[in-house]
Each structure stands twice: as structure tokens, then as C-alpha cells.
């Protein structure tokens, strides 16, 4: 299998059990070796008391893109830590797109950068995730 096929198969294996991403209405737009792009539309139940998208939902779409990127090599991985910087507010009806991938992937640890933009390409947030590989694969490659 090519690296692209492995990444797609990993995403296809994770997606049915990803109740959080599916429940928030996320959609996988692209996956590749060490990269992913997911999108989510801001719904009324995602808006806070300031009339903007709650930061937790912006974090969620970035975190989901991070998860699909760092799990794209057929090695199970989890977050070891993350940071997010909110650049601008997102609003009801906006479509948020989280895009990014590996800055570094070593034996067990990786660093991934994800940018969240709105439908106009405006930067909403910058997310950096640190991953740790755990035991297991998504499928047998032999």
C-alpha cells in the first residue's frame, strides 16, 4: 500500500467510532501521510454568551484534524499535550476548516501544527499538538 492509501485506511477505520467528530457535524475533507483537513459548520448550540463560537468547539475541530494526521501512519497515537491560540472569533454559520500536519514525527513522538480558518480563509486559531504513539496498529499491513 502507498502512504496515501495507508492514511486513508486509517481514517476510514477511525471514523465509525469517532462519535465526537461525527456528533459535531465534522467532515473529513482530506487525509495523507501526516496530514489531515476537517471541516465543521458553527451551529446555534456552539455559540456562547458573546454571540461567537465557543473556543472549545474551535479546539475540537483542530484536535480532530490533529488526531487524523498523527494516526495516519498505521501506528496508534494519542495527544501528549496541546496549545491553541485564538486569533479571531468564529460566528454562527461559519464553516471552520482545520488543516495541517506533522512538523516532526520521530519514533514515538510527533509535533503537529493545525490552522483553523473560516470560509473566507481568515485565520481563526493556531493549534500545536504533541503526539505519543501507543501500542497497536489499525490494520495488519502484511
Amino acid at each position: 500500500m502507498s502512504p496515501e492509501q495507508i492514511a486513508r485506511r486509517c481514517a476510514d477505520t477511525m471514523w465509525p467510532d469517532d462519535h465526537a467528530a461525527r456528533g459535531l457535524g465534522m467532515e473529513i475533507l482530506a487525509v495523507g501521510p501526516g496530514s489531515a483537513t476537517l471541516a465543521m459548520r458553527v451551529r446555534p448550540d456552539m455559540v456562547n454568551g458573546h454571540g461567537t463560537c465557543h473556543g472549545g468547539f474551535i479546539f475540537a475541530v483542530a484536535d480532530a484534524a490533529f488526531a487524523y494526521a498523527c494516526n495516519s501512519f498505521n501506528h496508534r497515537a494519542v495527544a501528549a499535550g496541546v496549545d491553541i491560540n485564538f486569533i479571531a472569533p468564529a460566528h454562527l454559520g461559519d464553516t471552520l476548516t482545520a488543516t495541517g500536519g506533522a512538523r516532526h514525527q520521530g519514533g514515538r513522538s510527533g509535533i503537529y501544527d493545525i490552522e483553523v480558518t473560516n470560509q473566507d480563509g481568515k485565520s481563526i486559531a493556531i493549534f500545536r499538538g504533541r503526539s505519543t504513539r501507543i501500542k497497536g496498529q489499525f490494520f495488519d499491513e502484511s
Side-chain angles (χ1 to χ4, degrees):
M1 295 178 85
S2 72
E4 290 77 16
Q5 290 170 319
I6 290 170
R8 183 76 247 172
R9 187 163 175 195
C10 291
D12 290 345
T13 301
M14 288 175 59
W15 186 250
D17 293 326
D18 193 347
H19 301 285
R22 291 183 18 244
L24 291 171
M26 291 183 203
E27 176 185 3
I28 299 172
L29 301 180
V31 291
S35 66
T37 301
L38 276 77
M40 178 186 77
R41 187 169 178 85
V42 178
R43 305 180 313 217
D45 61 340
M46 297 175 174
V47 175
N48 63 25
H50 296 291
T52 59
C53 183
H54 188 287
F57 294 108
I58 298 168
F59 179 95
V61 70
D63 189 47
F66 165 53
Y68 283 91
C70 71
N71 280 283
S72 64
F73 299 105
N74 198 25
H75 296 279
R76 291 186 182 268
V78 295
V82 300
D83 297 297
I84 190 165
N85 292 287
F86 299 106
I87 309 295
H91 301 279
L92 178 63
D94 282 353
T95 298
L96 302 180
T97 302
T99 304
R103 295 283 304 211
H104 166 78
Q105 179 58 62
R108 287 203 55 204
S109 61
I111 300 171
Y112 291 75
D113 288 335
I114 308 293
E115 181 179 16
V116 179
T117 58
N118 69 10
Q119 65 280 355
D120 299 321
K122 182 177 182 179
S123 185
I124 302 298
I126 304 295
F127 172 107
R128 172 163 278 186
R130 295 170 302 283
S131 66
T132 298
R133 287 184 173 171
I134 58 174
K135 291 181 182 178
Q137 294 179 297
F138 291 99
F139 57 92
D140 184 4
E141 293 184 56
S142 57

